[in-house]
Amino acid sequence: LFQLSVRPVSNESAKETKKPLTGSKDPSEDQGSHASEASAASISSTQLVYVVSDLGRLQEWLPDLLETVKQKLEMIGFKNFSSISAALEDSQSALSAHVPALSSRIVQDLSESCFSYLKSALEVPRLYRRTNKEVPSTASSYVDSALKPLYQLQSGHGDKVQPAVMQSWLQEALSDSTHRYFETVSDVLNSVKKMEESLKRLKQARRSPATNPVSSSGGGMSDDDKIRLQLALDVEHLGEQIQRMGLQTSD
């Protein structure tokens, strides 16, 4: 169990989205000699969920095992059950001790998978800067993609662990990834603001004294405001999707 908790967690979602580049050589040429090493060195978050589930079942089974052992030993006249009870309690504690480390690895994998899409907010300015795109009205597709790993875990493996455990994994993963998303969006907005101010200063420097300042406005939404609106739609949609999972954004 200790070895499982320290193995690198393979990013299942990333594997599904990655494709070989056009014209690249056969991946098996590079990976063939390392395939066995990779399978032994990494473990998927889904496999870790099964391990946590098995640990829970074993802990539930130990008290029944004690009663079975007592009945068998009583039949042969054995009376000192305290040592056996202590041994089983130690086993139960040992099993419980591994759960936090395994849960931490699951949360880390979920958070990394989620943020690998959320960081696409960095690409929003490029989509609207000098592209004459229409004013955005819907959220970007990366938001839905970011929550797919969590949806898959919740719907596919929610019955394998206690609801409170699954809730805790999702909350912790989202707490980490959304904080990083907040920092990313903040950086984008600060960059947009600096660019906007820089362009304004440049226009003012080029404007002749006879130019009418009012006529310089195009009347439509600027590229900078389109970027801001797109990010606002993305953040709002992310909150709505989180609530659809049965979670509260306030948590």
Side-chain angles (χ1 to χ4, degrees):
L1 287 173
F2 174 75
Q3 291 177 346
L4 287 178
S5 65
V6 297
R7 281 185 185 179
V9 182
S10 62
N11 191 324
E12 298 165 312
S13 300
K15 286 181 179 179
E16 293 176 2
T17 56
K18 287 182 179 177
K19 297 181 179 179
L21 296 175
T22 303
S24 63
K25 62 181 180 179
D26 187 350
S28 61
E29 295 178 13
D30 292 329
Q31 299 176 1
S33 61
H34 304 291
S36 60
E37 295 179 16
S39 61
S42 64
I43 183 171
S44 71
S45 57
T46 299
Q47 290 172 312
L48 290 179
V49 172
Y50 278 105
V51 174
V52 173
S53 176
D54 290 345
L55 287 176
R57 291 178 182 274
L58 283 172
Q59 292 178 75
E60 294 174 357
W61 178 60
L62 283 176
D64 293 334
L65 175 62
L66 178 59
E67 293 302 317
T68 302
V69 171
K70 281 184 178 180
Q71 293 176 10
K72 297 293 184 181
L73 293 177
E74 285 174 349
M75 294 174 61
I76 61 174
F78 187 85
K79 300 295 183 182
N80 184 17
F81 296 113
S82 59
S83 59
I84 297 176
S85 298
L88 288 177
E89 288 176 2
D90 288 343
S91 298
Q92 195 166 13
S93 298
L95 293 174
S96 301
H98 290 289
V99 174
L102 294 170
S103 293
S104 178
R105 298 308 301 273
I106 293 171
V107 169
Q108 179 186 0
D109 181 46
L110 288 175
S111 176
E112 289 296 333
S113 297
C114 184
F115 184 68
S116 68
Y117 292 101
L118 291 178
K119 66 182 181 182
S120 296
L122 293 169
E123 300 297 321
V124 171
R126 181 180 59 82
L127 298 176
Y128 290 97
R129 187 80 68 191
R130 297 181 179 179
T131 59
N132 201 30
K133 288 192 67 173
E134 295 182 359
V135 175
S137 58
T138 59
S140 303
S141 59
Y142 75 80
V143 177
D144 287 327
S145 298
L147 294 179
K148 280 184 179 179
L150 287 82
Y151 276 125
Q152 291 169 352
L153 187 76
Q154 185 183 49
S155 61
H157 306 287
D159 59 338
K160 295 178 178 63
V161 295
Q162 294 293 327
V165 173
M166 179 62 67
Q167 191 92 345
S168 175
W169 289 343
L170 298 179
Q171 283 184 345
E172 290 183 36
L174 281 168
S175 179
D176 179 66
S177 56
T178 54
H179 275 84
R180 295 168 69 185
Y181 181 51
F182 172 83
E183 294 173 356
T184 301
V185 171
S186 297
D187 289 342
V188 173
L189 291 175
N190 288 333
S191 176
V192 168
K193 183 65 175 177
K194 290 179 181 179
M195 176 67 75
E196 186 178 43
E197 292 174 348
S198 177
L199 291 175
K200 284 182 179 178
R201 287 195 298 269
L202 184 61
K203 287 181 179 179
Q204 289 174 355
R206 291 178 175 177
R207 185 184 299 147
S208 64
T211 303
N212 185 353
V214 178
S215 64
S216 63
S217 174
M221 180 175 284
S222 68
D223 293 344
D224 298 307
D225 284 341
K226 289 178 183 178
I227 295 169
R228 294 186 179 99
L229 177 56
Q230 183 64 73
L231 291 172
L233 292 170
D234 294 349
V235 171
E236 182 179 21
H237 185 63
L238 178 63
E240 292 170 352
Q241 296 307 304
I242 290 174
Q243 290 179 346
R244 282 187 59 189
M245 297 177 67
L247 302 172
Q248 296 299 319
T249 53
S250 59
D251 295 333

